[in-house]
Amino acid sequence: MDDINLHYRFLNWRRRIREIREVRAVRYQERYKRMLKNGDTLSYQGNSDEVGCYVAPRPLSKGNCYFEVTIMDTGVRGTIAVGLVPQYYKLDHQPGWLPHSIAYHADDGKLYNGNPVGQQFGPKCNRGDRIGCGIYADTFDAGLVTVFFTKNGKEVGSVVVPVAPDGLFPAIGMHSLGEEVRLDLQAELGSEEEDSVMMVDSHEDEWARLYDVRVSGTLLEYVGKGKSIMDVGLAQARQPLTTRSHYFEVEIVDPGEKCYIALGLARRDYPKNRHPGWSRGSVAYHADDGKIFHGSGVGDQFGPRCFEGDIMGCGIMFPRDYVLDYEDEMDDWDAADVQPKQGRVENLLYLNDEDEEEGDDPEQEHEGQKVMVFFTRNGKIIGRREVVVPAGGFYPTIGMLSSGEKVKVDLHPLSG
């Protein structure tokens, strides 16, 4: 009889162990609706009338208290939300709309704290930005915790919220076609990000426009999707080239998948989704095919292709009587004389007499002064093109278009 009781007790113990494992398996299971998940990438799959929502399989904890989302595409409206929700949050609502949830919304920079009406909280977020959310592990007290949000590694703000019995789970919401993010549930807010921010602070002011390009010191990194010709990443300098700063260089640090890297000059209001050289008021040398593009999507054979480690340069040879109509509108410039560095391209500040011959002007119908734009590869001039300077001047402009591309920029390589 004792043997029979022992046998039944053993079977009952095995059944209870199996049930516990099944409960744990169900508990730690990610949930999402109207989203496609491919690895760490989430993309919206609805019709823009209905919310799509993702809830991570595990809540934040003292050992894992922070996560980040990188915006790969803002889609039609950029209605992307990042925050924390209860485990069984309703997946047809944006995080932050329902009780016991909180979220930072990219499209309006507002914080939604258990309410469909948000409060102004921080800056709006765009493609390439990283939104982070975390909890201060040492603030757990009587069911309350401090939740904080970051943008590109910098804290935006924090708020104290009640903790649901089952914890606070990372959540992402989307609400318009084309929205896509990359999720990192193991992200760390540490010294690496802080060092990067310090570098950005020392050089970011050199750039007036940055689209799908991340700045880290002198390094520019493409962070766009790279899936179509509309996914151009563009960086345009704050100041145009002048007779006192007439040349700049780019070193290819990483050619990425396709080395779709372009270096050139463009007007101030150049379209953000067009490679330099493709549209009016621009000229550029493209690394992938060695062609020059001058206000057209069709390029002409110009020079050699460029690869990792190559240094591409672009400058203007100004006529001696050239007058900068736009110089009075610019910030003060360093009055130091321009001196070539050893091993660098020769300082071709002015055209020689034999270079001043008249030629065909592809932009003759546009008013403006003519200059000779030249391009270099590893310090040697590979060619020139006469162009008309647009109103406001020519701004150093760099374009990238495939994943992984990185370049190092020197906007003043000839300064002594």
Side-chain angles (χ1 to χ4, degrees), residues 201-407:
D201 288 344
S202 63
H203 288 270
E204 194 175 41
D205 59 355
E206 293 184 335
W207 302 98
R209 304 169 67 205
L210 292 166
Y211 297 103
D212 289 345
V213 173
R214 180 182 299 141
V215 181
S216 179
T218 59
L219 189 73
L220 300 182
E221 178 184 0
Y222 177 67
V223 294
K225 293 176 63 176
K227 295 181 180 179
S228 76
I229 62 172
M230 299 300 290
D231 296 329
V232 171
L234 196 76
Q236 188 172 67
R238 187 173 299 277
Q239 302 287 3
L241 293 189
T242 70
T243 55
R244 284 175 281 177
S245 181
H246 71 283
Y247 176 75
F248 72 104
E249 287 182 337
V250 164
E251 177 183 353
I252 300 176
V253 176
D254 191 332
E257 293 183 0
K258 303 290 185 180
C259 199
Y260 289 154
I261 298 170
L263 161 137
L265 302 169
R267 67 183 193 266
R268 184 185 303 176
D269 58 347
Y270 192 76
K272 66 180 182 180
N273 60 347
R274 299 285 288 171
H275 237 340
W278 284 357
S279 293
R280 179 181 59 83
S282 70
V283 59
Y285 176 33
H286 287 220
D288 61 308
D289 55 14
K291 291 183 178 181
I292 187 172
F293 290 76
H294 181 196
S296 170
V298 179
D300 300 322
Q301 201 57 50
F302 187 69
R305 297 169 61 191
C306 298
F307 304 94
E308 182 176 349
D310 284 334
I311 298 176
M312 305 168 67
C314 176
I316 296 177
M317 292 181 282
F318 291 98
R320 292 188 180 276
D321 59 351
Y322 189 82
V323 177
L324 292 175
D325 296 332
Y326 50 87
E327 190 167 21
D328 293 338
E329 302 175 2
M330 294 159 30
D331 296 334
D332 292 336
W333 286 76
D334 186 357
D337 293 334
V338 177
Q339 299 292 338
K341 293 181 181 179
Q342 186 176 2
R344 293 290 191 177
V345 64
E346 181 185 357
N347 185 347
L348 296 172
L349 177 57
Y350 295 109
L351 282 168
N352 295 325
D353 292 339
E354 60 270 20
D355 293 328
E356 295 179 343
E357 299 176 1
E358 294 184 0
D360 295 334
D361 182 8
E363 296 183 348
Q364 192 170 5
E365 69 276 14
H366 301 293
E367 295 181 359
Q369 302 180 79
K370 294 181 183 178
V371 296
M372 191 69 72
V373 174
F374 65 96
F375 293 92
T376 67
R377 180 175 180 267
N378 298 328
K380 295 182 179 180
I381 294 178
I382 57 173
R384 309 171 185 176
R385 176 64 63 95
E386 188 177 54
V387 300
V388 174
V389 180
F394 260 142
Y395 290 75
T397 305
I398 297 148
M400 293 183 274
L401 191 53
S402 75
S403 298
E405 292 173 348
K406 298 178 183 178
V407 299

Side-chain angles (χ1 to χ4, degrees), residues 53-56 67 69 81-86 89 95 102-103 169-173 185:
C53 187
Y54 168 90
V55 178
F67 75 100
V69 167
V82 177
L84 300 170
V85 301
Y89 191 77
I102 185 169
F169 289 71
I172 296 96
L185 291 173

